[in-house]
Each structure stands twice: as C-alpha cells, then as structure tokens.
Amino acid sequence: MLTGTSLLRHAPLLALTLLAACSQPQASKDHTDTPTTVASTDGLDRTVLPIHEPKPESFTELDARNAKAPARFNVTAPAGAPNVLVVLIDDIGFGHSSAFGGPIQMPTLEKLAANGLKYNRFHTTALCSPTRTALLTGYNHHSNNAGAIMEVATAFPGNTGIRPQSITPMAEVLRLNGYSTAAFGKYHETPPWEGSVSGPLDRWPSHSGFDKFYGFIGGETNQWHPMVYDGTTRVYPKVDDPNYHFTNDMTDQALAWMNTTQSLTPDKPFMMYFATGATHAPHHAPKEYSDKYKGKFAQGWDKVREETLARQKALGVVPANTVLAPKPADIKDWDKLTADEKRLFERQMEVFAGFAEHTDAQVGRLIDALEARGELDNTLIFYIVGDNGSSAEGGMIGMFNENTYFNGVQETLDMQLGKINELGTEHTYNHFAAGWAVAGNTPFTWTKQVASNFGGTRNGMVMHWPAGIKAKGEVRSQFHHVIDVAPTVFTAVGVPAPRMVNGVEQQPIEGVAMNYTFDDAKAADTRKTQYFEMIGNRAIYHDGWFAGTIHKAPWEAAPRRPLTEDIWELYNVNEDFSQANNLAEKEPAKLEELKKKFTEEAVKYHVLPIDDRSIERFDPVIAGRPDLMNGKTKLVLYPGAKGIPENAFINVKNRSLKFTAEVEVPAKGNGVILAQGGDFGGWSFYMLDGALCYTYNWVGLEFYTVKSTAKVTPGKHSLVLDFAYEGGRGGGGMATLLMDGQKIGEGKIAKTNANTFGIDESADVGTDENTPVTLAYLKRENFNGRIGSVTIETFPATAKK
C-alpha cells in the first residue's frame, strides 16, 4: 500500500515516448552527432553536473519581516523516477541458474523473470573489474582504463587502472540528479596502490557516487572472515557468531540502509548496487544449503550439460535448434574419471550449488522488503547472473586453497580428498574443477577469461519493472552488452548522460539504451557492433557475425602462440546460438572483414597494445604501474598500523629480510609484533609465553616455526628477525632470532610464498587481523607489551646485512 509522500514518486511515470529518444546509434567520439540518452523535461539543464544553482536575488529591504524569501533551490529527481536496484552475482555461468535452465535453484530470479523479462543475449567482458567498471559507467572497459583486473594494471592507456575524469559513474550521475545511492558487497574497481588509508580515495566507492558503501575493495573475500569497509573505514563484523556469513551481513546492511532512507525520505528515489562476493572463490556456503544438493551431480558434468540444454530449450532461453558446443579438449569425459575424482568433483559442485542458492535467497530478502514497502512496482531491477562466465581458474581438479594457484603450487588429488568434508567451510579456500565451469556455461565451450567465446561473456539477465514494462514472463534476444545498463537507467529515470561534470567535458556515452526492447520482442537490435578482449583472447561482434581467437585458456600457463599467429574462428551467431559451427574456412572474406573491424574498434577504444602476460603482471615493476612503496627497501611501522593490504605494503617475498622491533615486554610476553597474511599463507613475528617466535605459513600446506631457546626478559628490548634468503622464487632460507644483538634462536624456512599471501589478508602491527597465520596464538593475537616501532629492511638474496 502507498502512503504519505511516497505517493509523489508513484505518480504517472514519464511518458514512454521518451523511449524513442534512447534508441540511439552506437556512440561516436564527437558529442555533436551523438544524441543524449533522454532530454530533461523539468526545465533544469541536467547535462551539466552539478546542476547549476540560480544566482541569488539581491534585496534592498532592511527588515527581513518586510521581505519574502525566495524559493530554496533543491535538486530532486524527475517526477515518477523509479528506484534502481542492480544485482550482480560473481563468477556464475549462463547455464547455472534454474531461470536459465541450470541445475541450481534460484527462486528469486525465477520470480522476477515471471513478472519481467529474461535477456538471453546479454554480455559481459569476461572478467571481474572490467565488467564492473563498464556496468557502472556505460563505457567500455578499456575506455575506463580497466582492460583487466586492477591488480594487473599497466602503463598503457586502456589498462592504467585509473578511471578518466571524462567518465562519471552512473551512481554519481544519479546522486547529482536527486537520488540516494549505496553499494554493498564487492567493488574491485579501486587500484591496488590506492587501497590503503593513504589513498587517494577518489576511486573508492564512496568517492565514486555512492553515499554509502559496505563491502570489500578487492576481487574476492573470505565469506566467513571478510576484510570489510564501511565507507573508507575498516570495520569488524561479528565473525564469531556461528551463523555469520558475509552475504547475509551485506544483505542486513543493505536492508538497514534502505529502511532508513525509506523512513526519512520516502519521496526520494534510491539507487542500490548489490554485488555479492558469491559465487567467486572461495566457495563458502552454509552447510545446510550445500547438503541440499547431495547426489544431484553424480551424473557428472557431461550429462549435466545435456540436461541443462534440454531445459534451456523447454524454457525458450535458447533456440530450439541449438546444439551443444564441444567442451575444451583438456576437460576429461566424466566416465573416464576415477572413483576418487568423481567423489571429489561431486562435492565441489554440491558446495558451489549451495553457495549460489544461498546467494539468491539473500537477494530474495531485498525483494521481499521492497514488496512490503510498496516499492517493488516502481523499482527498476537488473538481476545480472554473472560478471563473466563461470570460472575455470580451479584447474583440472579444483583446489581446497586458491592461494596455491596464485603461488604456482599444484595441489594433488590426495591433498583435496583429505579436505573433502571441509569444502565450503572456514577451513578451506576452495574452488571447483574446470569441468564444472564448462557445464555451468552450457551450451557454450569456454569460460571466464575467454572473451572470444560466449562461454566467457554471455550471462543471463532479468529485468523487472512493472510500472514501466508491460510484458511479463517473456524472453528478449536483442544483442546487448553490460555498457548498455547505464543508458537504460538514465532513460527510465528521465535524465541525460551528462556532457560536463565538475567542469570536465565527458566522453560520449558508449552504451545504448535497451528500453526499446521492453514491449517489443521483435524490435531490431540497436547494438550493431561490440568488441571483446581479455589478456589476448579477443573477438568482434558485428551485425550478427562473430569472429574471435582463443589465445590462452584459463588453466594454461602461457599463450598458445604469438599474438600475430593466433587462429581466428568465425560464427553466424544469428543462426548458431552456441557457436558450434566454425565458418572460418567457408567464409574467409567475412572473417577478414571482421578482423579488420576488430582492429578499428581496438584502436578507437584503447585496446592496443595487447598485453598477454598473466602472473607476471602482478609485479608492479614488470607491469609498469604505480607502487605505493615505490621501490622502498626500508619501512618503519608504528603502533596502530594494521589492516594494510598486500599491494600497499613493502614486498618481503623472494628476498632477504631484517625485522627490528623496539618493544617493552611484560613478565610473560604474548601476542603478535608484526604479521602478514593468514590461514592460507603468511608469516608472523610474535611472542608466546615469553618466547620470541617466527612462523612461516607456506600456502596453508606447511608451517615452519623458529622459537627462541631463551625467554625474553621483562623490559625494553630490540628484537630482531634476520632471514637470509637462498634465492630463486618461492625459495627458502635461514631465520635467526636476536635479542639486543644476541642470537637466541635459529631455524630453516624451507619454502616461501612466491607471489602473494592472500587477496583479503593484511599486514598488521601488534595484532593479526582477519584469519591468524598460526593457531599458536589463537585468541591471543594482541601484543600485551608496548611497541615503539618495527623496522623492515629488505635485501637481495646474496646481500650481507
């Protein structure tokens, strides 16, 4: 029921004749021939933001009692403007959800689809950060300088990791047009060198258009022990609650924010970005959800693909003549696996399915709240089922600790079988085998990272807006891309894409609005061309044809061949939905035409030069991006310095080290002096019952501890760790403990992490936040003495200290 001032927003909506204005052609680089999304109808010039306030009136009257005050200038959203809710699920495939024929029950998605529209030719960029920047701006990922994830940014335009001033996020456009705005969950658009309290904070959510942010900044998080920020401030959820899960937590926060805004300003529309960390690894699912799927995947991934395609045809989300595209040659046939492989892989998929269903249930809580408040009908909802295709980054057998992958360590089947009953719990950081990713992307061949195949870029999307969309329960098959969401929102709201923001001229928006599809299933596509590129995998769509090349599979350590020697494929995707019929040999002229078209688009949108390096680009020196430490070999830390992300901390990997802690120790010293990392990889310099200790946790698999042979006496001391590195990547060395210059302990550290300690772990002085590096000091992390300073010095492996 609508009450009070909320009636104002549910007045008749802007005339849908505005839709004609949004069926614009592909954006050019010249404002003069690019129509805006929609013109303002209230007399305000909304093309320039902030909207200019009028000049103040001058008065000659001395006494205010004898004068009439002018109307107060206040920017409000256009009359009838809807709320906007953008839901984005992470790393889930086109063929996973029940709404699109998959085996995972997602009743909230189904409910919205039954009263809205399913889009079965909606596309993403094939990777996390690029899709998110494109979604939240309406511009291609390279235009946003987000050619890949932020952690591998380079020095070249298109890949710098810094969003240009000439591109303003959708949330900021709406905020400056009278909306309340909030983001919850995963962000992954902040450059890693800007991820600390030192900033700059310009690319944090709360400086990118969102009044409120609650979530994590990086690419993934531990769902049981997340690294969470409220705005730009680190906060500490009640992770000791046995029912804690981050997806529940972010939903609670979203509901609280929405309820508060609706209580105070029910006439003011809001925009919410609800981007779950699920279903990205680690696949952390409440056990009761995972156990619902026991035995549901015993038939294996080949049969699941067949069953999914049959359901997709029955639902009408793929054409009746769609055939199952072949799976990659590296993916084994299920019937050729051993009994142990099948047992492990079944449980991996059960956990993932439970993870996804649990996520949909939390989205359901949001939808129920909107319905209870009478806001559901006039809320424009985008439920985007995946920021890319399902992820094959688990490799051929999956993994119980994803940190092994990032450090070049191969897990064995026996290792994983030993953890099978812990998959999905806080004791694992798990990912499933690539075969399940391929099955989740049915009916396509490839997966996340592969921008040159719809398995990497085709994601189901449901749009729901009863007040603005008459059609119900129908499928839309117009070809669209994630950059088309922002202009669709602007058109529905009744505001233009701005031409000037904060004095900076804006690039013409590159997306095209989808509103023309709402009530016309047969409307001709307005998106005629779209390029795709991710780490060398590249493609072009143009007028129903698609040409692409597989440069590197996600599980391959190196590209298949040089960029100039890549083998291109050609598909008529108007007739071949699943890309099963390669026409490259039959239509060589068409292939050359499309390859030329790709080059044109690649030049236009700063795709070139292509950088096909992967792990190497995590090193800022190699990649050529900024580094907060800027090559420092010495860092002095003080008490209270904690929660420091790895990308903002001095690099202590693959080199010799010296830690010098100036401390005052009580009679029985306990707690962490300095630590970095956590459960699944890291190191800690700490005291335990008066002894000085150093523990190295090698990717969660092996622990090496050096403990002093003498207790540290009460009083002021200089405590030192001296680590003599033996060389190479991920090599070992000798750790020596000293007190006031005297050796009190020594031991061998056989292996070290080569590349990372964990995306969602931190470096901390005087404590060990998130998960502990070692259980030796569990519940005793906080140092019970006083720390003056801790100095870190790094040296080449052969240098003498």
Side-chain angles (χ1 to χ4, degrees), residues 197-526:
V197 295
S198 294
L201 303 176
D202 304 63
R203 260 80 47 187
W204 282 63
S206 53
H207 291 246
S208 299
F210 292 109
D211 299 322
K212 167 75 175 182
F213 171 67
Y214 183 88
F216 59 98
I217 293 297
E220 65 187 39
T221 197
N222 186 321
Q223 298 288 329
W224 307 114
H225 299 275
M227 188 171 177
V228 179
Y229 292 86
D230 192 333
T232 58
T233 302
R234 177 77 188 277
V235 294
Y236 303 90
K238 297 178 180 179
V239 297
D240 290 335
D241 182 337
N243 296 314
Y244 182 84
H245 189 281
F246 177 68
T247 313
N248 294 1
D249 182 13
M250 64 176 275
T251 307
D252 292 343
Q253 293 284 333
L255 288 169
W257 178 83
M258 183 175 73
N259 288 343
T260 304
T261 61
Q262 286 296 296
S263 297
L264 299 176
T265 53
D267 56 326
K268 184 178 182 181
F270 66 83
M271 181 265 185
M272 182 190 293
Y273 176 49
F274 188 83
T276 64
T279 54
H280 194 291
H283 298 162
H284 283 161
K287 190 173 184 297
E288 62 270 23
Y289 276 88
S290 298
D291 287 351
K292 291 172 68 172
Y293 288 90
K294 276 189 176 294
K296 300 288 188 182
F297 301 104
Q299 69 274 45
W301 46 59
D302 295 320
K303 189 67 175 175
V304 166
R305 293 185 83 213
E306 295 171 4
E307 294 168 348
T308 297
L309 179 57
R311 288 190 297 264
Q312 289 174 333
K313 290 180 179 180
L315 288 170
V317 295
V318 305
N321 66 350
T322 301
V323 299
L324 199 59
K327 67 178 188 285
D330 290 333
I331 305 298
K332 291 182 180 179
D333 292 343
W334 184 265
D335 60 11
K336 294 179 182 176
L337 299 176
T338 67
D340 278 344
E341 287 174 324
K342 290 179 180 179
R343 181 164 64 94
L344 174 64
F345 300 160
E346 275 186 58
R347 187 56 184 166
Q348 289 174 350
M349 187 59 200
E350 291 167 2
V351 170
F352 180 86
F355 196 21
E357 183 176 334
H358 171 258
T359 305
D360 181 77
Q362 305 315 303
V363 179
R365 293 171 58 203
L366 276 181
I367 302 306
D368 290 345
L370 283 168
E371 194 165 21
R373 284 151 192 73
E375 294 288 335
L376 185 59
D377 280 2
N378 198 27
T379 298
L380 173 58
I381 300 173
F382 299 82
Y383 193 150
I384 304 171
V385 197
D387 57 346
N388 39 245
S390 185
S391 171
E393 292 160 343
M396 292 301 108
I397 65 171
M399 55 191 71
F400 74 85
N401 174 12
E402 190 189 39
N403 211 19
T404 57
Y405 166 78
F406 289 116
N407 285 285
V409 177
Q410 182 63 53
E411 292 184 18
T412 66
L413 188 69
D414 286 342
M415 282 180 186
Q416 294 199 61
L417 287 170
K419 296 281 189 178
I420 190 170
N421 293 325
E422 296 180 295
L423 294 180
T425 73
E426 65 177 337
H427 303 297
T428 57
Y429 209 89
N430 50 304
H431 202 313
F432 60 18
W436 288 124
V438 173
N441 296 326
T442 299
F444 310 109
T445 295
W446 288 98
T447 64
K448 175 183 177 180
Q449 293 190 20
V450 184
S452 43
N453 180 270
F454 289 154
T457 62
R458 177 74 58 86
N459 288 92
M461 191 264 283
V462 166
M463 207 183 306
H464 182 275
W465 184 29
I469 301 175
K470 296 176 184 177
K472 313 295 179 190
E474 297 180 6
V475 175
R476 293 293 181 266
S477 296
Q478 287 86 357
F479 193 101
H480 278 288
H481 189 268
V482 69
I483 62 174
D484 300 333
V485 170
T488 302
V489 169
F490 294 158
T491 300
V493 168
V495 300
R499 62 179 178 82
M500 186 83 70
V501 178
N502 294 322
V504 178
E505 185 176 359
Q506 300 294 287
Q507 299 178 41
I509 197 163
E510 292 163 4
V512 296
M514 296 181 281
N515 308 62
Y516 73 98
T517 69
F518 289 174
D519 295 309
D520 188 355
K522 297 181 179 179
D525 296 11
T526 58

Side-chain angles (χ1 to χ4, degrees), residues 734-747:
M734 185 63 68
T736 303
L737 301 174
L738 300 100
M739 178 174 64
D740 303 326
Q742 299 299 311
K743 184 166 72 172
I744 57 174
E746 188 175 59

Side-chain angles (χ1 to χ4, degrees), residues 516-563:
Y516 73 98
T517 69
F518 289 174
D519 295 309
D520 188 355
K522 297 181 179 179
D525 296 11
T526 58
R527 172 159 295 290
K528 305 297 184 183
T529 305
Q530 180 60 48
Y531 82 88
F532 298 87
E533 192 278 330
M534 195 58 60
I535 319 176
N537 292 319
R538 57 204 189 276
I540 186 76
Y541 167 84
H542 183 66
D543 281 342
W545 288 84
F546 185 97
T549 179
I550 309 299
H551 185 66
K552 177 184 174 296
W555 52 82
E556 292 173 347
R560 296 179 167 187
R561 55 189 68 84
L563 290 162

Side-chain angles (χ1 to χ4, degrees), residues 60-102:
T60 59
E61 175 60 52
L62 177 65
D63 191 335
R65 287 180 287 263
N66 299 327
K68 182 180 179 181
R72 182 175 293 275
F73 175 73
N74 186 38
V75 174
T76 59
N83 301 313
V84 178
L85 171 60
V86 178
V87 176
L88 181 64
I89 311 299
D90 204 348
D91 278 11
I92 190 169
F94 181 83
H96 266 140
S97 73
S98 53
F100 286 85

Side-chain angles (χ1 to χ4, degrees), residues 115-232:
N115 200 39
L117 300 174
K118 293 181 188 178
Y119 285 76
N120 69 345
R121 294 214 302 168
F122 181 82
H123 300 83
T124 55
T125 69
L127 205 60
C128 300
S129 302
T131 289
R132 291 159 198 275
T133 57
L135 167 66
L136 291 181
T137 62
Y139 295 79
N140 284 301
H141 56 300
H142 288 91
S143 297
N144 277 285
N145 287 321
I149 57 173
M150 295 297 159
E151 292 83 353
V152 296
T154 72
F156 286 103
N159 277 282
T160 65
I162 300 294
R163 183 182 64 244
Q165 294 178 344
S166 57
I167 291 179
T168 298
M170 169 172 60
E172 179 69 352
V173 173
L174 294 181
R175 191 183 71 83
L176 293 174
N177 275 286
Y179 271 68
S180 297
T181 58
F184 300 92
K186 174 175 173 176
Y187 194 61
H188 206 196
E189 296 180 44
T190 304
W193 60 92
E194 297 182 356
S196 76
V197 295
S198 294
L201 303 176
D202 304 63
R203 260 80 47 187
W204 282 63
S206 53
H207 291 246
S208 299
F210 292 109
D211 299 322
K212 167 75 175 182
F213 171 67
Y214 183 88
F216 59 98
I217 293 297
E220 65 187 39
T221 197
N222 186 321
Q223 298 288 329
W224 307 114
H225 299 275
M227 188 171 177
V228 179
Y229 292 86
D230 192 333
T232 58

